[in-house]
Amino acid sequence: IPHLEKITTFVTLSKIEMKEYLFLLTFVLLFSCCNNDKEAAQKQLQEARILYENAEFGSAKQVLDSLKIKFPKELSAQKEALALMREIEVEEQKRNIAFCDSMFQVRRTEADSLKQHFIFEKTEYDNQGRYIDKNYNPQPGYASKYIKIHVDEKSDLVLSSVYRGSPIKHNQVKVSIPSGEYAETEIIPFDGGANYSFKDLDGITYETVTYQKGKDNGVLQFIHNYADNKITLEYLGGKKTSPYVLSAKEKKAVVNTVHFAAILKDLDQFKSEREKAEKRLEYLQTKIH
C-alpha cells in the first residue's frame, strides 16, 4: 500500500533524526557542564590566590582542598592548585622559621637571666649534667627527711626523695595541702639505682629514690602550683613514718627549677621546629624549581 510505505519511511526517518537530536543535545549538555566546571574551578583558584596574597594561608589551603575534591577531572586546574599549594607551604615554612627564631631569642634571654641562679654539675660518671638551684643544694646528712630537685641537659626534671634514719624502704612519696588536694609519684621498685640505700659506719640507713622521665607523676608541678600553701610530704611503700612539711627553701627551689626547665624545653622545641621547617622548605623548593 503506497500510503503505508510513506508513513513507515517517515516514522523511520523520525527515529533516526531523534537519535541525532538526542546525541547532539547530550553533547551540548556535556560541553556546557565541562565549561561550567572549568569556570568554577578557575574561580576557586582565583579565590585561593587572593587569600594567599593576603597571607591567609590556612583559608587558601582549604579552598584548594575543596577544589581537589569537587573537580577531580579538571586536570589543568588541579595542576595549578598543586603549584599554588606548594607556594603556600613555602611561605608557611618561611614564616615558621621566622617565628621560631624570634621566640628562641626571647626564651634564650630568659634562660640566660635565670641560669645565673643555678649551678651546673657534671662528673666523669654522669651521662647528663644537671642544673641545681644555688640557694638549695642539700648534701648527705642535710636533714633526716628532704627532697632534691634538678633539671638535666635534656630539660627533664628530676626529683629525689631522701630519708635518713632507721630503714623504712620507701619507694614513693605523696604531697598534699590542707584542703585535701594531693599528688603521688610513681612507685620506684628497689633496684640499687633509682631506688637505693646504704648504711654508714654508725649503722644509720640512707635511702634515696629518684623520679625521672616523668615518674614524679605531677608532684613537682603540684608543689609549683601550691607553693604558697602548707605542703606535707609522706614517704610511702614501706614502714610508715611521720610526714613532714616542705620548707620554704624546698618549695622555692621547685618553683625556680620547674620554671627554668619549661624555658629550656621551649628552647629545644623551637630549635627542633626550625630544623623541621628548614628541611620541608628545602624539599618544597626542589619541587618548585
Side-chain angles (χ1 to χ4, degrees), residues 107-125:
R107 283 308 204 202
R108 170 58 69 190
T109 300
E110 291 180 283
D112 290 342
S113 176
L114 284 174
K115 194 176 287 186
Q116 61 184 318
H117 301 296
F118 288 80
I119 55 176
F120 182 74
E121 291 184 352
K122 187 174 185 178
T123 70
E124 57 182 313
Y125 306 106

Side-chain angles (χ1 to χ4, degrees), residues 82-174:
L82 177 60
L84 181 56
M85 182 70 83
R86 284 174 176 164
E87 287 183 42
I88 291 170
E89 285 197 60
V90 164
E91 294 305 314
E92 281 184 323
Q93 300 314 315
K94 288 180 179 178
R95 186 169 66 178
N96 289 345
I97 290 170
F99 174 78
C100 288
D101 285 344
S102 175
M103 291 307 300
F104 186 90
Q105 189 56 47
V106 170
R107 283 308 204 202
R108 170 58 69 190
T109 300
E110 291 180 283
D112 290 342
S113 176
L114 284 174
K115 194 176 287 186
Q116 61 184 318
H117 301 296
F118 288 80
I119 55 176
F120 182 74
E121 291 184 352
K122 187 174 185 178
T123 70
E124 57 182 313
Y125 306 106
D126 295 324
N127 293 323
Q128 290 288 327
R130 50 190 170 272
Y131 293 96
I132 303 169
D133 192 307
K134 283 182 178 179
N135 295 318
Y136 182 71
N137 186 20
Q139 301 303 313
Y142 169 77
S144 60
K145 299 174 184 178
Y146 62 96
I147 61 172
K148 296 180 70 173
I149 178 175
H150 71 261
V151 56
D152 66 23
E153 289 180 280
K154 289 187 176 180
S155 310
D156 291 325
L157 286 165
V158 180
L159 168 70
S160 296
S161 55
V162 183
Y163 169 83
R164 178 168 59 90
S166 299
I168 59 172
K169 298 182 180 180
H170 82 284
N171 56 22
Q172 183 184 24
V173 292
K174 171 184 176 181

